[in-house]
Amino acid sequence: MKKVMILAGGNDQIALMEEIRRYFKGDVEILLVDMSDKVRAIPFADRFLKISTMDKAAVLAAAREEKIDYILTACGDQPLSTMAYVATEMGLPTYLTEQDVRDLTNKRFMKDKMVQSGIPTARHIYIDKNWDGKLPEFEYPLVVKPVDSNGSKGVKKVFAPADLEKSLKEAFQYSLSGDVIIEEFKQGEELSVDLYVEGTKAKLLSITASKKIQENKDSFTIIQSYYPAPTDYKEERVLEICQKIADAWHLHDTPLLVQMIQKGDSYNVLEFSARMGGGSKYRLIQVLSGVDIMKVYVEMVMGEKPHVEPKKQYNNAIMSYIYCSPGIYKSVEGLNVLKEKGVILDYFIYRGPDSVIEKSNTSSDRAAGFLVVGDSQEEVEKKLAEANAALRVLNDKGEDFMRHDLFIKKA
């Protein structure tokens, strides 16, 4: 029997564990590592180890004691470094080295290499807490972000010099290394590009547009992923940039997520990583391209050479994320019925009972998500409206505290 250690216990890791069980036909023991004993994935593991996924020494000690055969994570940047470290120290299979992870997830190293490799990106500078306060002749708005955070934590849009200090303070709180990046904000459509690098060739799986919560003027909270992206992007140009990334980072046999801003003939890469997108993106990729990227990922890590042939499945799709007003989450009502009726294709629960919801600012604040598909934009918008009317997210008082307003188009 093989023993597999999984880092982080979110909804995407549940899908990873289920795929691992299928791969080994049940002949596997799965150890889940997370600093919280309230994560949703715990019941899907054979055993739970309460350890921070960022504590490399502690994870390595546990991995050695357990004599694991594999260590994996999915859909998040920060645990990738621990995965690579433990695998290297123990001589286990891994598709990324620690330096690979650093260059792919630390925005400082990433941006430097992008500039050196001719990959288009916004003008930027790096600072630490000893910064002298001087900026180049940047045009506001600016974007402030930690160089190494996860899930948009500490990322803020700054509209004027008076707001810069407050945003920097928050960014430094979330920076593991103590470095922060300041860059010019690029106007345009944000494209989320998912690929699989088969051998060394980047194969396009999907291009979606990211819709943000409009009221969060200084943050980048994604509420929906739209397909097709409502913009005049050139697919060949997008793929050319992504292939250049794969070449510059010497990527092979790996998922690749690239986020970029497009406006007319201008394309600027925000960031990227050798992983699947989070927020149940693995399912959206499967629905749009026919490629089961979670299955491909597991086969790849196990040393196989999976072949992918993306083929368009639907004309339109919307992945929507449910946010709530502050309160204590109890349950979501209506998802099963909506799926049975064919209004939604699939749904995903991100919260456990009695978890506290404080805000609607980052991806970790989501309560759930659901996916609608159709043959036209009109069809998916109609299904979205029907789902919004039927869903209820209950708090500890039995009240519906779902932010229904976020799915209502403003006049």
Side-chain angles (χ1 to χ4, degrees):
M1 177 181 287
K2 297 295 184 181
K3 189 177 287 191
V4 180
M5 179 175 280
I6 302 296
L7 301 179
N11 198 74
D12 293 334
Q13 282 75 36
I14 294 174
L16 174 60
M17 287 190 280
E18 290 175 338
E19 187 56 49
I20 287 171
R21 291 198 191 281
R22 280 193 288 270
Y23 183 85
F24 286 109
K25 298 179 174 58
D27 190 26
V28 62
E29 182 179 7
I30 297 178
L31 311 179
L32 177 64
V33 173
D34 200 291
M35 68 183 298
S36 171
D37 56 10
K38 299 185 183 302
V39 290
R40 289 201 68 248
I42 291 176
F44 296 83
D46 294 298
R47 284 192 289 136
F48 172 67
L49 304 177
K50 190 175 181 179
I51 305 170
S52 169
T53 60
M54 301 309 298
D55 189 339
K56 295 181 179 180
V59 175
L60 175 60
R64 281 176 167 159
E65 182 177 347
E66 296 289 345
K67 297 182 174 61
I68 65 169
D69 298 292
Y70 299 94
I71 181 168
L72 299 173
T73 190
C75 310
D77 283 336
Q78 290 185 348
L80 281 176
S81 182
T82 300
M83 178 195 78
Y85 170 75
V86 172
T88 301
E89 288 294 311
M90 293 183 65
L92 304 179
T94 179
Y95 72 105
L96 295 172
T97 67
E98 280 193 278
Q99 184 170 335
D100 289 336
V101 174
R102 184 201 70 178
D103 290 349
L104 284 161
T105 61
N106 185 296
K107 296 175 182 65
R108 178 165 195 155
F109 295 103
M110 177 187 293
K111 288 278 190 180
D112 284 347
K113 200 163 186 176
M114 285 167 65
V115 172
Q116 294 165 9
S117 304
I119 296 165
T121 192
R123 291 200 301 162
H124 57 276
I125 62 167
Y126 316 108
I127 65 170
D128 56 25
K129 290 185 178 179
N130 297 316
W131 180 50
D132 61 9
K134 295 179 180 178
L135 273 176
E137 293 183 4
F138 283 171
E139 292 185 12
Y140 282 82
L142 303 175
V143 179
V144 170
K145 59 180 80 171
V147 300
D148 49 10
S149 69
N150 199 24
S152 73
K153 293 182 177 69
V155 181
K156 293 293 181 182
K157 188 176 180 180
V158 182
F159 293 90
D163 303 320
L164 185 58
E165 184 175 348
K166 179 182 177 182
S167 297
L168 285 173
K169 183 176 181 181
E170 182 173 344
F172 278 122
Q173 288 177 343
Y174 286 104
S175 176
L176 300 175
S177 63
D179 291 335
V180 166
I181 186 171
I182 303 174
E183 65 183 21
E184 289 184 320
F185 176 77
K186 288 289 185 180
Q187 300 285 350
E189 193 74 47
E190 181 174 332
L191 302 178
S192 182
V193 187
D194 288 280
L195 312 101
Y196 183 70
V197 183
E198 186 175 316
T200 58
K201 182 181 179 181
K203 291 190 172 183
L204 185 62
L205 303 178
S206 68
I207 300 176
T208 55
S210 300
K211 182 179 179 182
K212 309 300 177 67
I213 296 180
Q214 295 302 305
E215 68 187 47
N216 295 348
K217 300 296 185 183
D218 64 348
S219 59
F220 301 86
T221 317
I222 297 176
I223 187 169
Q224 289 171 325
S225 292
Y226 266 82
Y227 176 84
T231 182
D232 58 346
Y233 70 87
K234 301 294 188 293
E235 186 175 299
E236 61 273 16
R237 176 59 177 148
V238 172
L239 189 54
E240 176 189 347
I241 292 171
C242 295
Q243 185 63 59
K244 186 176 285 191
I245 290 170
D247 293 342
W249 269 258
H250 305 292
L251 299 178
H252 60 89
D253 303 298
T254 178
L256 177 61
L257 169 65
V258 181
Q259 293 168 286
M260 63 176 69
I261 297 290
Q262 176 264 330
K263 187 176 183 180
D265 293 330
S266 174
Y267 296 77
N268 283 276
V269 175
L270 298 173
E271 55 194 52
F272 49 88
S273 187
R275 62 173 177 85
M276 293 166 274
S280 310
K281 196 70 175 293
Y282 69 91
R283 182 69 173 115
L284 180 58
I285 292 170
Q286 182 182 19
V287 165
L288 294 178
S289 70
V291 174
D292 187 343
I293 191 63
M294 192 66 78
K295 179 175 182 288
V296 168
Y297 175 72
V298 170
E299 290 174 353
M300 174 205 82
V301 174
M302 298 303 163
E304 297 185 21
K305 298 291 184 182
H307 174 63
V308 303
E309 291 187 15
K311 294 179 181 177
K312 183 178 178 179
Q313 307 292 305
Y314 291 94
N315 289 331
N316 296 80
I318 305 175
M319 174 76 85
S320 296
Y321 299 110
I322 297 173
Y323 293 87
C324 299
S325 301
I328 298 176
Y329 168 86
K330 283 295 184 180
S331 64
V332 183
E333 292 187 348
L335 288 169
N336 272 325
V337 173
L338 287 166
K339 185 173 181 179
E340 288 172 1
K341 291 171 62 178
V343 177
I344 65 176
L345 181 69
D346 211 343
Y347 65 85
F348 317 91
I349 305 296
Y350 303 132
R351 289 279 177 165
D354 300 319
S355 59
V356 178
I357 295 178
E358 298 178 345
K359 57 191 185 315
S360 304
N361 289 345
T362 69
S363 58
S364 59
D365 299 324
R366 299 167 180 164
F370 61 94
L371 175 61
V372 298
V373 298
D375 292 324
S376 67
Q377 186 68 24
E378 183 181 24
E379 181 184 351
V380 294
E381 292 283 2
K382 183 179 178 181
K383 288 180 176 179
L384 175 62
E386 185 176 346
N388 190 35
L391 288 169
R392 298 175 75 233
V393 183
L394 302 183
N395 61 18
D396 58 333
K397 299 174 184 177
E399 302 166 334
D400 179 15
F401 71 140
M402 175 178 163
R403 291 287 309 275
H404 292 277
D405 58 298
L406 297 177
F407 297 112
I408 298 174
K409 284 189 173 182
K410 304 294 189 295

